[in-house]
Amino acid sequence: MVDLQALRQAEHGRRIRNGYMWALFCAVLWGIWYIPGTVVWGLTPFVEMYTEVASTSGDGMALIVTAVLITALNAVTVVLALFVWNGVLGNYGEMIRTAKSFHPCSKWFLLASVFGGPVAILGSFMAMGFVGGAFAAVAALLYPVIGAALANVWHGEKISKRAAMGIFVIIAGGITIFGGGVITELQAGSVGWMGYLGGLMAATGWGIEGAVADKGLDVANADVGLHLRFIAELAIWIIIALPLLAIMGYPVFTYAFQIFQPLTILMFVFAGITFGFCYVSWYKSFPLIGVGRGQGIANLYGMFAVISTILFFGDVPQWTVLVGGALCIVGSFIMFSEESLELETLRN
Amino acid sequence: MTQMEAYTAFFESAYVPAGEYVWLFVVLAIAFLAIWQARTWVFKF
């Protein structure tokens, strides 16, 4: 006779393993995204665009304006990559149904696109432009704290002591990885408050996005929900952000039409695949292991970004990177080794 | 500097041989694995 209790436990264990697997896919792909995400800055037309804007408005503003155009174009290829993803999964019909159901679900994805797109991404670039790249990375690493706290207050999501400890150890690892650079940048930053505001926007934006999207994922498919979220984000960049920058006198459209170079297009295609598939994995992990754990494991992207840049760009790692990487691994094991029955119900 | 020179300059010190091409295949392999896992999960139901 089949033991129903044993079957139920086995199915539950599979669900948890799948949740961690998706969060790990997210971290790996996010880490690799830094390769096309970095290279594209060194290609035509962005080198010329940065130089032109910097000559009139300074380096900080040049970074933000160029980053907005790159992010908008990245959103285009993410949407295309997700069409492939959802096509392979046979989800187009579901997409139309979800988009039509605005009140129960797609409104949450629209809201997620606002927090995850303009708020978090723009904030991250502000932190990068006005303080520095390492500060932006550390600020972004704090987003699971906001996400886990909001999911706890809003959805009653349970965060066990072990999960909380894992999240904090991974964040400590990330801070150790980027920490040395932060001190130098904080001393050198000239328009500090804009950078700090950007850091706050990045941490809260992605944290809120996770909690808001999880609300929509109660009734919608993660693959479809994420695709709708990115279509909404693309609309925000193209209909609001880029025209606003053009009105302010920045040559965003002039340079947007100059991207049709084989290598630039190739970089955007690969940025679209890595970012799109990373994001969809992030969303897929939320219903399975909860927002706090999903975001905590996804935070390993810091370590994978460092590994990618060491392997492919030949960056020489400092000792802080090795200590930080070890902390990230310890934090992940603290979370992975949590008894799966502890996660039988994710919410109170 | 041509586009190709600008591109390969990023990978000059790569520890992985032919790093400027290898990373593209690494991405495709992981992306294929992810989409295959997603499809396997969907077709269980």
Side-chain angles (χ1 to χ4, degrees):
Chain A
M1 187 180 154
V2 180
D3 184 347
L4 277 179
Q5 184 65 13
L7 275 177
R8 200 172 63 84
Q9 282 183 8
E11 176 54 30
H12 175 70
R14 261 197 300 276
R15 198 167 59 90
I16 300 301
R17 276 196 302 280
N18 260 287
Y20 279 122
M21 177 194 76
W22 286 118
L24 204 58
F25 261 124
C26 168
V28 173
L29 287 163
W30 195 344
I32 300 178
W33 173 83
Y34 279 85
I35 299 176
T38 305
V39 171
V40 83
W41 284 84
L43 300 178
T44 303
F46 304 107
V47 178
E48 294 79 2
M49 182 181 179
Y50 185 95
T51 313
E52 186 186 329
V53 179
S55 65
T56 52
S57 309
D59 282 337
M61 204 56 211
L63 189 135
I64 290 174
V65 173
T66 313
V68 168
L69 181 59
I70 289 176
T71 310
L73 294 168
N74 190 27
V76 173
T77 50
V78 166
V79 167
L80 294 176
L82 290 172
F83 268 116
V84 174
W85 179 279
N86 276 314
V88 170
L89 299 185
N91 279 340
Y92 290 154
E94 180 66 20
M95 243 176 105
I96 295 166
R97 273 193 297 279
T98 308
K100 281 183 182 166
S101 311
F102 183 75
H103 190 65
C105 47
S106 48
K107 72 171 179 198
W108 297 114
F109 300 124
L110 178 66
L111 206 59
S113 74
V114 174
F115 283 108
V119 174
I121 294 177
L122 189 65
S124 181
F125 286 128
M126 279 166 61
M128 215 180 282
F130 294 109
V131 181
F135 171 75
V138 168
L141 282 167
L142 298 176
Y143 80 87
V145 178
I146 311 282
L150 263 179
N152 178 267
V153 173
W154 196 14
H155 315 158
E157 185 175 302
K158 290 191 295 188
I159 286 289
S160 61
K161 279 183 187 161
R162 182 177 274 261
M165 199 201 300
I167 291 170
F168 279 107
V169 173
I170 292 173
I171 290 172
I175 291 174
T176 314
I177 287 174
F178 298 106
V182 173
I183 296 163
T184 321
E185 287 169 5
L186 291 179
Q187 287 164 347
S190 53
V191 201
W193 72 269
M194 283 276 278
Y196 303 139
L197 176 69
L200 192 67
M201 282 165 66
T204 51
W206 277 309
I208 295 172
E209 179 190 355
V212 166
D214 197 34
K215 198 81 179 160
L217 293 173
D218 279 348
V219 283
N221 172 326
D223 313 279
V224 165
L226 188 264
H227 203 172
L228 292 176
R229 172 243 179 269
F230 257 102
I231 291 171
E233 183 184 325
L234 179 60
I236 293 170
W237 293 119
I238 290 182
I239 298 170
I240 302 171
L242 292 182
L244 205 64
L245 287 174
I247 291 167
M248 288 163 74
Y250 295 109
V252 280
F253 287 113
T254 312
Y255 285 105
F257 290 110
Q258 292 177 23
I259 61 151
F260 300 100
Q261 318 262 350
L263 274 170
T264 310
I265 294 288
L266 185 76
M267 287 310 102
F268 275 114
V269 168
F270 276 80
I273 295 172
T274 47
F275 208 65
F277 287 16
C278 127
Y279 235 109
V280 80
S281 306
W282 200 50
Y283 269 41
K284 282 173 95 67
S285 74
F286 294 159
L288 297 169
I289 52 174
V291 175
R293 289 180 190 83
Q295 293 190 337
I297 295 295
N299 239 359
L300 291 172
Y301 82 87
M303 187 182 76
F304 286 112
V306 169
I307 293 173
S308 301
T309 53
I310 289 170
L311 288 178
F312 293 105
F313 293 159
D315 293 347
V316 181
Q318 295 173 326
W319 67 269
T320 50
V321 170
L322 302 176
V323 175
L327 278 172
C328 286
I329 293 166
V330 170
S332 319
F333 273 105
I334 291 174
M335 290 169 80
F336 287 140
S337 58
E338 187 171 14
E339 181 56 51
S340 73
L341 284 176
E342 288 279 324
L343 302 169
E344 197 160 19
T345 52
L346 292 171
R347 296 179 181 175
N348 290 322
Chain B
M1 190 186 256
T2 64
Q3 283 277 81
M4 195 61 198
E5 284 168 347
Y7 172 73
T8 48
F10 280 98
F11 300 90
E12 261 170 9
S13 316
Y15 289 106
V16 176
E20 67 269 41
Y21 304 110
V22 171
W23 79 270
L24 299 166
F25 290 101
V26 171
V27 168
L28 289 176
I30 298 172
F32 178 78
L33 189 64
I35 211 163
W36 175 64
Q37 282 292 326
R39 201 178 151 84
T40 308
W41 175 265
V42 164
F43 283 84
K44 263 186 196 168
F45 302 101

